[in-house]
Amino acid sequence: MAHGGGQVPVYCSLCEESTRIEWKCLNCDMLMCDKCKEKIHVKFKFAKDHKVVSIEEVGLHKDEIDFSNISCNKHPVQSCVMFCKSCVYLVCPLCISETHDGHGLVTIKKGYEILIGKLKTRGKNMGTNINKLEKRKEEVKDVDRTELSKFENTMKKIKDQNVRLKKEVDQHTKKLETELIKKWEDLHRCTETEEKEVSLLIESLASKKLEVDDIIQSNDGKIVFVDGVGLVQSMEETVTSPDTKFDSIPIFLPGQITLYNFGSLENVSTKGDIKIIKQFDTKISHVYFMAACSEDTVWITDCKILQKVKIEGRSLKIIDQKDIETYGMALTPSKNLLLVMEGPRLKQISGQTGEMTDSLYEVKGLDETSTVHVNSDGKVTVGAYSGKVVYPAIGRRVVIVMDKDGKHETTYEYDRHGNPIFTYVRNITRTKNGNICVVDKLSEDYRARVVILSEDGDVLNTFSGHPEVNTDKIHFKPKCVFTTSSDNIIVSSTSSYIYFLNNSGNYIGYCDTSIKGIMYPRSFCSTETGHTYVGCATRSDDKAKIYEVDLL
């Protein structure tokens, strides 16, 4: 038989002595001498059903792989005659009788084909894993490049702030730069570490794949069974990518250029996005103000009609309605509804009786209230003014904080330089850290800005829209400000854009809600358990919609 360019004598597969081959069992794929055919093979299980033909009928193909010289590992003097699929093992006649009788035995040639198939499959899987790891390696590089860009942009913003504040903020700038550099170095160290780990995995797999390829191409049965079996078993292990969770480089959120708030490095807790959960149809054209008095009961108004509605499934049931003009409202912890109406005193609707009376909250010395907000601790914050609403303002424009008994605690009117802060206080919210966020209307055409004050009265920040949305032709016209459960601020406008700020008034992002299916969002409210509702306006006689949403 031809083998490796030389002639190797062919022995009987059973006795391994006689070279006078007379027969071949097609089922066992064994060559036999005449004696073994008559004395040994007939004792094999189901031998009577095997097809044994003379060697002249089949011939010996010169390229046929020689399986006759593979010694049994357990019985070295015996040659392997079968392959046990159950044990993935070559077996000799003694192995069969001692251990493997009744197992899934096939010919050595068939076992060879099974192993080659497994090796090819493992090789293919290795290739797939290499591709996955290469992809992950590129993802890690992308993270590195993206975060480097964020790092550079953030560093630039920090330096820009530093230039504007000059020497007064050098110490703070150094602190932020050091913190940012450390965050970058930590992240970069992580990306480098994972890149090295992935590279080592790729090298290891590539090395094993070369071994697999060599075995597959060797055309040597002994190598396949000796080396291939071990490789098949070792390759059963699952290759797991490190898949490190990288801490993103924080962005720099600049504050107003003052000594009180230079800015800070923050990992923003919101994506600046919104998702609809449910939709409800109202019986009014606009929902300019909202207040949630329970999990399923909400006050809404279009400034002329005030309704108390109950959420029933996906419908709203009107349980109370009053034809009164109101320019703002807020709910106290005792569930009484405070209303901004004409005059210096807020009105109140009892949560128990539904009766409307004068409240304890009055802005003495001023003509009108313009908006109201109630904290969870019961403190009431109002906007108020004297004189007429004109632009520029003539008369006083103030924000007043009162305790739950109506006593004035703090009045905000002037900045540290003695200049009036406000033109017309249109809407107010407060954050958990005590900051006051005010929509300050600046002109008759509703152009406005958002002013953020500290409890001490310092102007921490002002927000006048975003250049990607607001231009000389598309003015920033904020309507409502609302504090989320995560203590961020949402600003609605006359358009379908809403803006996200952190609790210091630093910009986070914006969202065009019309893409989500929410047209002209105006008002927000939330329940004690965190359900958030958005009230909308319309540009026609259609009825307004309310949405339950998730803020992302």
Side-chain angles (χ1 to χ4, degrees), residues 135-147:
K135 183 179 179 181
R136 178 58 183 171
K137 185 176 179 180
E138 288 304 313
E139 289 173 352
V140 171
K141 288 182 177 179
D142 286 342
V143 169
D144 195 77
R145 286 191 291 266
T146 300
E147 296 301 327

Side-chain angles (χ1 to χ4, degrees), residues 229-244:
V229 170
L231 269 176
V232 167
Q233 293 172 346
S234 68
M235 288 184 297
E236 294 291 341
E237 300 175 1
T238 302
V239 176
T240 304
S241 171
D243 200 19
T244 304

Side-chain angles (χ1 to χ4, degrees), residues 93-110:
L94 288 177
C95 290
I96 295 172
S97 62
E98 291 177 0
T99 308
H100 300 272
D101 189 25
H103 289 191
L105 299 175
V106 296
T107 64
I108 295 180
K109 181 178 180 182
K110 183 64 177 177

Side-chain angles (χ1 to χ4, degrees), residues 307-526:
Q307 292 180 342
K308 189 176 187 180
V309 296
K310 184 177 178 62
I311 299 171
E312 296 182 344
R314 293 186 176 271
S315 301
L316 298 177
K317 178 182 178 181
I318 300 173
I319 57 178
D320 192 7
Q321 179 168 311
K322 301 180 188 297
D323 294 334
I324 55 176
E325 290 191 12
T326 181
Y327 310 106
M329 63 185 185
L331 207 69
T332 68
S334 57
K335 307 305 180 185
N336 295 324
L337 185 67
L338 298 180
L339 299 174
V340 177
M341 301 179 71
E342 290 186 355
R345 185 184 292 273
L346 298 177
K347 297 293 185 180
Q348 175 178 294
I349 294 179
S350 169
Q352 297 293 326
T353 66
E355 181 184 1
M356 186 168 70
T357 58
D358 286 339
S359 74
L360 298 172
Y361 309 102
E362 182 182 9
V363 289
K364 295 178 181 178
L366 298 164
D367 296 323
E368 302 281 351
T369 56
S370 57
T371 187
V372 61
H373 174 81
V374 179
N375 278 20
S376 58
D377 60 4
K379 289 187 178 182
V380 175
T381 305
V382 300
Y385 63 95
S386 63
K388 295 182 178 180
V389 179
V390 292
Y391 306 93
I394 298 176
R396 297 181 65 193
R397 303 292 189 266
V398 301
V399 169
I400 301 173
V401 178
M402 309 180 202
D403 65 16
K404 62 183 179 180
D405 297 319
K407 180 182 177 181
H408 290 207
E409 290 188 343
T410 312
T411 298
Y412 303 94
E413 187 173 1
Y414 302 102
D415 64 17
R416 285 182 174 268
H417 304 290
N419 300 314
I421 300 173
F422 311 110
T423 301
Y424 177 73
V425 179
R426 183 167 186 174
N427 200 247
I428 292 175
T429 189
R430 298 197 67 172
T431 58
K432 295 174 185 175
N433 64 356
N435 292 339
I436 302 170
C437 181
V438 177
V439 175
D440 183 30
K441 185 180 175 184
L442 303 174
S443 65
E444 286 282 1
D445 64 358
Y446 293 98
R447 277 182 281 183
R449 61 178 183 159
V450 177
V451 180
I452 294 86
L453 303 174
S454 70
E455 283 189 298
D456 295 331
D458 295 320
V459 178
L460 300 178
N461 232 324
T462 59
F463 178 69
S464 299
H466 193 275
E468 290 181 8
V469 178
N470 307 113
T471 64
D472 292 337
K473 294 182 179 180
I474 304 174
H475 301 300
F476 180 54
K477 299 179 179 180
K479 289 280 192 178
C480 169
V481 283
F482 168 73
T483 302
T484 70
S485 58
S486 58
D487 211 32
N488 291 320
I489 299 166
I490 291 180
V491 182
S492 69
S493 65
T494 55
S495 68
S496 291
Y497 284 95
I498 59 174
Y499 305 82
F500 295 82
L501 313 177
N502 73 352
N503 57 19
S504 295
N506 296 316
Y507 170 77
I508 293 173
Y510 69 84
C511 174
D512 181 358
T513 62
S514 65
I515 296 174
K516 311 292 183 177
I518 302 176
M519 303 300 297
Y520 311 120
R522 288 291 182 273
S523 54
F524 291 80
C525 70
S526 60

Side-chain angles (χ1 to χ4, degrees), residues 14-201:
L14 295 178
C15 68
E16 296 187 338
E17 294 178 357
S18 175
T19 58
R20 186 175 178 80
I21 305 301
E22 301 285 349
W23 307 96
K24 180 173 183 178
C25 175
L26 299 182
N27 299 85
C28 300
D29 194 26
M30 289 194 306
L31 301 173
M32 299 176 287
C33 63
D34 194 59
K35 180 179 178 181
C36 288
K37 171 184 175 289
E38 299 297 334
K39 301 290 187 182
I40 299 177
H41 181 263
V42 293
K43 296 180 181 179
F44 282 16
K45 194 171 185 179
F46 305 119
K48 62 180 178 19
D49 298 322
H50 289 193
K51 185 173 181 180
V52 179
V53 297
S54 66
I55 202 66
E56 287 80 9
E57 293 182 50
V58 295
L60 294 176
H61 197 282
K62 64 178 182 179
D63 292 328
E64 186 175 341
I65 298 174
D66 180 17
F67 300 121
S68 63
N69 61 343
I70 303 176
S71 299
C72 177
N73 287 336
K74 190 173 182 182
H75 310 99
V77 298
Q78 294 286 325
S79 294
C80 294
V81 295
M82 301 287 280
F83 179 78
C84 179
K85 291 195 298 180
S86 304
C87 304
V88 192
Y89 202 75
L90 283 174
V91 293
C92 69
L94 288 177
C95 290
I96 295 172
S97 62
E98 291 177 0
T99 308
H100 300 272
D101 189 25
H103 289 191
L105 299 175
V106 296
T107 64
I108 295 180
K109 181 178 180 182
K110 183 64 177 177
Y112 174 86
E113 293 171 353
I114 291 171
L115 272 182
I116 288 293
K118 286 181 178 291
L119 288 170
K120 287 180 178 179
T121 299
R122 300 299 185 273
K124 183 179 179 181
N125 290 341
M126 284 185 174
T128 300
N129 286 329
I130 288 174
N131 291 336
K132 288 180 179 178
L133 290 169
E134 289 285 3
K135 183 179 179 181
R136 178 58 183 171
K137 185 176 179 180
E138 288 304 313
E139 289 173 352
V140 171
K141 288 182 177 179
D142 286 342
V143 169
D144 195 77
R145 286 191 291 266
T146 300
E147 296 301 327
L148 175 59
S149 176
K150 288 172 64 177
F151 165 78
E152 291 170 342
N153 290 336
T154 302
M155 185 66 77
K156 182 178 181 300
K157 290 179 181 179
I158 293 172
K159 290 184 178 295
D160 287 345
Q161 289 287 84
N162 179 46
V163 169
R164 293 169 68 183
L165 292 179
K166 299 181 180 179
K167 294 181 180 180
E168 291 85 352
V169 295
D170 282 345
Q171 184 176 358
H172 192 54
T173 299
K174 187 64 178 177
K175 176 184 176 182
L176 290 177
E177 288 182 349
T178 301
E179 182 182 350
L180 182 62
I181 289 170
K182 183 179 185 306
K183 287 180 180 292
W184 163 246
E185 289 175 345
D186 291 345
L187 185 141
H188 188 59
R189 192 180 302 113
C190 289
T191 58
E192 282 187 325
T193 299
E194 178 162 334
E195 187 177 348
K196 289 177 182 178
E197 291 175 0
V198 172
S199 296
L200 289 174
L201 281 172

